[in-house]
């Protein structure tokens, strides 16, 4: 084939890449260097003023960031533990195995926003069925209006919605494991628990790391759950980074500033997820 | 410390995997379980290890009911046909695995593991991962693991079958050395094999198994010289013993209308009638004074030639002690060494052996 024309075939892909990835990021960076808001809509240039403000005069962003870290690490850990347990359960020969496999996947198949609306109704302080049941024991926790309980509620909803994803990945991993090491381990004197610690878990480590990283990336974008359940409230106690950026950009229309927030957030996420994945590899896969 | 199985039966579907197996294994002995594929060897070993249930029957070891003890408490070591190791661990950790389960002291583990590694000749490979080893080395790791465990019962399920020829020879010799050591006096070693030659070389007790049933249990010499029935004679010889339907009439052995042999003196006590005659492939030799046969297939194996022949409805396999080229449909003259004939009755049971009546 003619050398000159070879690269012409790359253009469709390259065009899409530039169109949907490189241009938006470039534009976001340029936007973050402007003061575009409702009063002065336009791409002026104000240097790194937005970044200075972000690092020196915006504790609300950093608070929302640490809250997000807490929420995503907690939810992903819970999802991993519960998902792994469920996967182990249906991996063994239990009755109605196929039924359970499908059952455990249902939450993932539902629309997150709609399910969150239903959860909000569930947890409604005076009208929700959760408190109806709890009132038998004489308690009615303010699920959505107490700043600590609201976080718990978000965690419950997130875990419910996304554990199936973890379950699916881990079950696929378990099913792909060779059977022989388990045979050998029981002959070599390992009971069920030791077999899990010394054989199942180490063999599952690579898949576990993959699943955890994927879920961490997803979980650090928690926005819809917060938006529907609490709108970041009470006060700002359940505000996550993405929700805060949404508020700054699409509620207060400070486009320039929210672009700076987004870019900073992107950089932090790339760095921290890289560190986390390196740590997980070191921790779970020895040598 | 004897292992006794009584009336073990396992019939998951239509066929018996184990059919009423009653055996006694004594400590300090080597037993070779000889049978074709799907004869129930692996099932039997798995049952002893506790990896497979039985429908009925008892296993007792050192007076204790073995059936009620879970696999991981049985103190059994097993080496499999496939190379089974722990892919995520190093060679050292693989061999140390059973010892760690026993919560031994680390210094003791180190000693045991390094002596096991020495026995199988894997020094210098301790830190390698399993995937970095060749098939033979992987099987040595599995073997070392079973040795380090110092189990009272050692089960070897065709451990050499997936290895190349040279390695098989080497490891078989190593087996003998390894198991003639300190281990042998207290342990029961059960070695499953499809290869009669291997079974004879290991020179222990041979248990011939077929379709889940024990056909004969004797010393290697006895099984070779006096196979109890037609099936045993087939299984314990390579190539399989020729079994021919024929009869003894008027001082002649009649195999078909052309092949008729004078009755040797030793066989004169046998009454005329219909019998199965057994003849080892090596007892059919090229000789111009013999009968004419047609070559169906000639295989050269090492320094020998295996001939598949027929004459009318009579089919033979002959083993010739030299390398010779034959073409298919060649006509050859063969002599049947009638003094080495085995005679089985119509039910297939041995009634005459050339060794017994010498």
């Amino acid at each position: 084939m003619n050398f000159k024309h070879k690269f012409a075939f790359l253009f469709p892909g390259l065009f899409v890449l530039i169109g949907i990835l490189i241009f938006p990021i470039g534009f976001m960076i340029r936007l973050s260097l402007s003061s575009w808001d409702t009063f002065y809509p336009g791409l002026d240039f104000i240097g790194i003023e937005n970044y200075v403000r972000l690092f020196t005069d915006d504790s609300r962003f950093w608070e929302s960031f640490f809250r997000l870290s807490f929420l995503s690490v907690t939810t992903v850990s819970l999802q991993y533990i519960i998902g792994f347990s469920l996967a182990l359960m249906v991996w063994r020969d239990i009755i109605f195995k196929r039924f359970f496999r499908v059952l455990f996947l249902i939450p993932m198949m539902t629309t997150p926003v709609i399910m969150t609306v239903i959860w909000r109704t569930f947890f409604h302080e005076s009208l929700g069925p959760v408190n109806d049941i709890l009132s038998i024991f004489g308690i009615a926790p303010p699920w959505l209006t107490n700043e600590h309980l609201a976080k718990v509620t978000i965690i419950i909803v997130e875990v419910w919605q996304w554990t199936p994803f973890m379950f699916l990945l881990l079950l696929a991993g378990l099913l792909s494991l060779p059977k022989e090491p388990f045979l050998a381990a029981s002959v070599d004197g390992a009971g069920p628990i030791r077999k899990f610690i010394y054989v199942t878990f180490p063999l599952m480590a690579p898949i576990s790391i993959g699943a955890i990283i994927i879920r961490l990336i997803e979980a650090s974008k928690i926005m819809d759950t917060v938006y529907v359940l609490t709108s970041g409230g009470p006060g700002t106690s359940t505000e996550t980074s993405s929700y805060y950026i949404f508020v700054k950009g699409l509620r207060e229309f400070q486009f320039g500033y929210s672009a700076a927030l987004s870019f900073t957030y992107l950089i932090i996420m790339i760095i921290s997820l890289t560190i986390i994945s390196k740590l997980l590899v070191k921790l779970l896969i020895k040598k | 410390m004897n292992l006794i199985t009584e009336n073990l039966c396992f019939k998951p579907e239509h066929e018996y995997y184990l059919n009423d197996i009653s055996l006694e294994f004594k400590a300090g002995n080597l037993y070779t379980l000889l049978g074709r594929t799907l004869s129930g060897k692996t099932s039997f070993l798995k049952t002893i290890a506790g990896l497979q249930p039985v429908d009925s029957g008892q296993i007792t070891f050192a007076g204790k009911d073995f059936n009620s003890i879970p696999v991981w408490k049985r103190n059994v070591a097993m080496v499999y046909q496939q190379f089974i190791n722990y892919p995520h661990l190093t060679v050292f950790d693989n061999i140390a695995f059973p010892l760690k389960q026993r919560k031994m002291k680390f210094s003791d583990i180190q000693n045991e593991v390094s002596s096991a590694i020495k026995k199988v000749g894997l020094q210098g490979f301790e830190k390698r991962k399993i995937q970095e080893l060749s098939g033979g080395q992987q099987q040595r790791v599995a073997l070392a693991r079973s040795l380090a465990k110092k189990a009272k019962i050692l089960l070897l399920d065709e451990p050499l079958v997936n290895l190349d020829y040279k390695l098989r020879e080497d490891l078989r010799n190593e087996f003998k050395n390894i198991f003639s050591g300190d281990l042998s006096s207290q342990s029961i070693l059960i070695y499953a094999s499809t290869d009669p030659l291997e079974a004879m070389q290991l020179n222990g007790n041979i248990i011939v198994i077929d379709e889940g049933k024990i056909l004969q249990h004797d010393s290697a010499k006895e099984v070779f010289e006096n196979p109890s029935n037609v099936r045993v004679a087939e299984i314990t010889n390579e190539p399989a013993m020729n079994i021919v339907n024929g009869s003894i009439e008027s001082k002649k052995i009649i195999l078909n209308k052309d092949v008729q042999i004078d009755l040797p003196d030793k066989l004169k006590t046998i009454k005329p009638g219909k019998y199965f005659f057994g003849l080892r492939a090596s007892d059919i030799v090229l000789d111009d004074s013999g009968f004419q046969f047609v070559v169906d297939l000639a295989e050269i194996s090492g320094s020998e030639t295996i001939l598949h022949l027929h004459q009318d409805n009579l089919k033979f396999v002959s083993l010739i002690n030299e390398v010779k080229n034959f073409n298919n449909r060649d006509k050859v003259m063969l002599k049947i060494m009638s003094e080495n004939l085995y005679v089985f009755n119509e039910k297939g049971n041995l009634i005459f052996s050339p060794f017994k009546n010498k």
Side-chain angles (χ1 to χ4, degrees), chain A residues 184-188 194 198, chain B residues 72 86 88 101 103 145 149:
Chain A
S186 36
V187 174
D188 283 344
R194 288 171 151 259
Y198 293 108
Chain B
W72 58 92
Y86 304 103
H88 57 290
Q101 302 312 314
K103 295 175 186 157
R145 198 170 71 234
K149 199 180 170 189

Side-chain angles (χ1 to χ4, degrees), chain A residues 1-110:
Chain A
M1 192 186 278
N2 191 332
F3 181 75
K4 268 186 196 167
H5 293 101
K6 235 174 5 187
F7 294 97
F9 291 97
L10 287 176
F11 273 116
L14 201 63
F15 189 75
V16 171
L17 189 71
I18 292 172
I20 67 168
L21 211 64
I22 297 178
F23 172 74
I25 290 177
F27 186 74
M28 178 182 71
I29 294 169
R30 174 64 188 87
L31 192 60
S32 71
L33 302 175
S34 77
S35 66
W36 192 333
D37 60 19
T38 27
F39 300 111
Y40 304 103
L43 269 182
D44 56 345
F45 184 81
I46 55 163
I48 55 163
E49 209 175 281
N50 281 330
Y51 291 95
V52 174
R53 175 179 161 201
L54 163 61
F55 282 97
T56 54
D57 192 27
D58 195 356
S59 58
R60 195 171 151 192
F61 173 74
W62 297 107
E63 276 164 21
S64 75
F65 177 75
F66 290 119
R67 201 172 293 125
L68 173 79
S69 312
F70 166 74
L71 283 176
S72 51
V73 169
T74 328
T75 52
V76 172
S77 314
L78 284 171
Q79 283 164 9
Y80 181 68
I81 294 165
I82 299 170
F84 208 150
S85 320
L86 293 179
L88 278 174
M89 199 176 110
V90 297
W91 179 46
R92 271 157 229 277
D93 285 321
I94 55 162
I95 49 163
F96 304 130
K97 190 155 81 175
R98 277 165 190 277
F99 168 75
F100 282 118
R101 277 187 194 174
V102 176
L103 183 77
F104 293 153
L105 288 180
I106 288 176
M108 202 175 76
M109 292 188 252
T110 58

Side-chain angles (χ1 to χ4, degrees), chain A residues 178-192 194-195 197-203 285-287, chain B residues 46 49 51 71-72 76-78 80 82 84-88 90 93 97-98 100-103 129 145 149:
Chain A
K179 286 211 176 69
E180 291 82 9
F182 297 95
L183 216 76
S186 36
V187 174
D188 283 344
R194 288 171 151 259
K195 214 157 36 177
I197 298 170
Y198 293 108
V199 185
T200 319
F201 190 69
L203 283 176
I285 305 174
K286 284 176 220 160
K287 284 161 218 165
Chain B
K46 277 188 171 171
L51 295 168
V71 192
W72 58 92
V76 165
M78 192 159 176
Y80 311 79
Q82 317 92 318
I84 299 185
N85 289 302
Y86 304 103
H88 57 290
T90 59
D93 289 328
F97 191 93
K100 282 183 183 161
Q101 302 312 314
R102 278 191 210 155
K103 295 175 186 157
K129 281 250 177 162
R145 198 170 71 234
K149 199 180 170 189

Side-chain angles (χ1 to χ4, degrees), chain A residues 206-227:
Chain A
I207 298 154
S208 299
I209 292 171
I212 289 172
I213 294 294
I214 294 174
R215 272 314 305 155
L216 269 180
I217 293 171
E218 289 286 313
S220 50
K221 297 187 294 197
I222 300 177
M223 151 75 205
D224 40 4
T225 318
V226 173
Y227 180 72

